[in-house]
């Protein structure tokens, strides 16, 4: 899968699932608000990104896109272990 960003492209295979949130501009300043270092922003409570969604600072659609890509990356990482 190719992701377009401006005039450049990159493959999501270049990203580790644990680093994905850093590629979502609107997530960057919310990561520091997470209770746990290494928060995946998926199942944890007290997540800065999830709190920002509830406050309307990040759209649910954008988070759902993040979640979908995260799952794809996790599946790829699991396959590499075998």
């Amino acid at each position: 899968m190719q992701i377009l960003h401006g005039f450049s492209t990159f493959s999501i295979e270049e990203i580790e699932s644990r680093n994905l949130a850093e590629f979502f501009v609107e997530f960057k300043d919310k990561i520091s608000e997470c209770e746990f270092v290494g928060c995946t922003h998926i199942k944890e409570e007290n997540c800065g990104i999830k709190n920002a969604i509830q406050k309307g600072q990040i759209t649910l659609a954008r988070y759902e896109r993040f979640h979908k890509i995260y799952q794809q990356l996790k599946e790829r990482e699991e396959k590499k272990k075998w």
Side-chain angles (χ1 to χ4, degrees):
M1 172 190 290
Q2 295 286 320
I3 299 174
L4 296 176
H5 183 73
F7 291 103
S8 63
T9 63
F10 64 93
S11 174
I12 65 168
E13 285 80 27
E14 298 172 14
I15 302 171
E16 291 184 35
S17 61
R18 63 189 170 115
N19 298 326
L20 179 62
E22 297 171 17
F23 291 87
F24 282 70
V25 176
E26 66 273 53
F27 289 15
K28 281 189 171 188
D29 64 335
K30 304 301 180 194
I31 294 171
S32 63
E33 298 175 19
C34 294
E35 181 177 5
F36 301 105
V37 173
C39 181
T40 63
H41 321 295
I42 302 295
K43 59 185 175 211
E44 298 86 354
E45 301 213 11
N46 299 318
C47 170
I49 292 171
K50 289 180 175 180
N51 291 340
I53 294 165
Q54 290 181 341
K55 294 176 185 175
Q57 298 169 335
I58 295 174
T59 66
L60 182 58
R62 187 71 167 148
Y63 176 77
E64 288 172 344
R65 182 69 178 145
F66 162 81
H67 190 271
K68 182 178 179 179
I69 295 170
Y70 179 88
Q71 291 304 121
Q72 290 172 345
L73 293 174
K74 285 299 283 184
E75 288 173 16
R76 178 185 53 92
E77 291 166 0
E78 288 299 317
K79 287 180 183 178
K80 280 187 173 181
K81 289 181 182 179
W82 296 99

